[in-house]
């Protein structure tokens, strides 16, 4: 066990889905897993282990923000010897053509966070996903005919307009090509690369910052089904 996870070592699968929201972790377990078991609930962060198409998979929330995601992913990779984490998160669209519910596969992540300072690098770290996972997910999205895009995401310490920089702070990142903004992908990718583990971030675009289109409140959980299915199908294909 760790200070943030009460699961025993053998209760966490080698493949983990990592949403931010604990309720989304429950949604995954109840709607996609065979025989799900709650293995941790420390600080209200829910974690479950079950099977999907015969493959053992865990799902555990990471909370909001890079530091929180970094803590949970680090412990999963090191203490629980997890080899693969796929983030299944929500995001704000920075390009007008992105449709509500569209999936975004993060080819790389940029940030305004100081997360990578811990590595004492003399330049700027631009972390990316595991190439095999990304390739599988991209192919699966096409096979399943899921609306999707792939490119750079911007992981920010600041949520939307909740910051002193102002409501239009995102526009500079949109100008250089960031597809969406989240808060966690950069920390996950950096942690995975540093520990020589595998990670992928698949995001659902829920709120478009350009045109103001968004999910209705009642759609915000159900609207993640395509993302969850793609992540799980990626794990199944990767296991072949």
């Amino acid at each position: 066990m760790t200070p943030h996870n009460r699961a025993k070592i053998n209760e966490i699968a080698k493949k983990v889905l990592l949403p931010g929201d604990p309720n989304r972790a429950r949604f995954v377990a109840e709607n996609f897993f065979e025989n799900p078991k709650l293995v941790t609930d420390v600080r209200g962060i829910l974690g479950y282990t079950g099977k999907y198409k015969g493959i053992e998979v865990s799902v555990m929330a990471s909370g909001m923000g890079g530091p929180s995601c970094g803590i949970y992913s680090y412990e999963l990779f090191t203490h629980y010897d997890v080899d693969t984490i796929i983030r299944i998160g929500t995001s704000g669209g920075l390009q007008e053509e992105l449709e509500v519910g569209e999936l975004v596969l993060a080819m790389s992540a940029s940030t305004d966070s100081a997360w990578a300072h811990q590595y004492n690098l003399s330049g700027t770290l631009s972390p990316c996903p595991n190439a095999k996972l990304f390739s599988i997910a991209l192919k699966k999205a096409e096979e399943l005919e899921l609306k999707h895009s792939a490119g750079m995401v911007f992981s920010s310490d600041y949520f939307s307009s909740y910051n002193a920089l102002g409501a239009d702070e995102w526009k500079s990142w949109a100008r250089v090509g960031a597809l969406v903004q989240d808060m966690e992908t950069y920390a996950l990718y950096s942690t995975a690369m540093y520990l020589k583990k595998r990670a992928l971030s698949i995001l659902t675009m829920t709120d478009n910052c350009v045109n103001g289109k968004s999910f209705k409140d009642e759609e915000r959980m159900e609207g993640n089904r395509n993302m969850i299915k793609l992540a799980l199908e990626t794990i199944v294909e990767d296991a072949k």
Side-chain angles (χ1 to χ4, degrees):
M1 299 182 184
T2 74
H4 313 100
N5 192 333
R6 71 173 177 84
K8 297 177 182 178
I9 298 297
N10 62 359
E11 290 182 323
I12 298 288
K14 298 298 184 183
K15 318 297 180 184
V16 177
L17 300 188
L18 199 71
D21 182 5
N23 288 324
R24 197 179 314 136
R26 181 190 292 117
F27 182 84
V28 172
E30 293 178 349
N31 290 275
F32 291 86
F33 282 6
E34 305 162 17
N35 303 315
K37 176 185 176 183
L38 178 68
V39 295
T40 185
D41 59 1
V42 177
R43 298 186 178 215
I45 294 295
L46 305 180
Y48 299 83
T49 296
K51 288 191 175 182
Y52 178 79
K53 294 188 175 180
I55 296 176
E56 189 175 54
V57 185
S58 293
V59 59
M60 181 176 172
S62 70
M64 288 193 292
S68 184
C69 181
I71 289 170
Y72 286 107
S73 61
Y74 187 92
E75 289 186 349
L76 288 168
F77 282 140
T78 58
H79 189 80
Y80 291 94
D81 198 29
V82 168
D83 59 49
T84 301
I85 293 179
I86 299 181
R87 166 163 159 71
I88 47 172
T90 56
S91 61
L94 303 185
Q95 304 297 330
E96 187 170 14
E97 66 271 16
L98 292 176
E99 299 176 7
V100 176
E102 184 169 343
L103 305 184
V104 173
L105 281 65
M107 293 178 66
S108 66
S110 297
T111 193
D112 55 20
S113 169
W115 182 261
H117 288 191
Q118 64 184 298
Y119 307 126
N120 196 29
L121 301 170
S122 58
T124 300
L125 174 67
S126 301
C128 58
N130 174 267
K132 182 183 178 184
L133 290 176
F134 180 84
S135 178
I136 291 173
L138 191 60
K139 184 178 179 180
K140 279 293 175 183
E142 294 168 353
E143 289 178 0
L144 296 170
E145 298 183 342
L146 302 176
K147 180 70 174 175
H148 66 282
S149 295
M152 176 182 67
V153 306
F154 168 52
S155 296
S156 179
D157 277 350
Y158 312 116
F159 181 81
S160 186
S161 59
Y162 298 3
N163 64 79
L165 297 175
D168 293 335
E169 177 269 338
W170 57 270
K171 289 184 177 180
S172 59
W173 288 99
R175 177 66 180 81
V176 295
L179 297 179
V180 294
Q181 177 176 322
D182 79 337
M183 303 182 80
E184 296 83 13
T185 297
Y186 189 92
L188 172 62
Y189 279 10
S190 296
T191 301
M193 294 185 78
Y194 179 72
L195 296 174
K196 295 180 171 55
K197 299 283 188 169
R198 308 193 317 155
L200 174 65
S201 180
I202 304 174
L203 306 172
T204 299
M205 201 290 288
T206 61
D207 303 85
N208 194 304
C209 297
V210 184
N211 56 36
K213 295 180 180 180
S214 64
F215 273 142
K216 297 177 182 178
D217 289 346
E218 62 271 21
E219 296 173 323
R220 290 192 177 273
M221 191 63 74
E222 287 289 336
N224 291 301
R225 281 185 177 271
N226 285 342
M227 172 178 64
I228 297 164
K229 182 177 182 179
L230 178 58
L232 289 169
E233 289 295 327
T234 297
I235 287 174
V236 171
E237 185 66 25
D238 180 55
K240 292 181 179 180

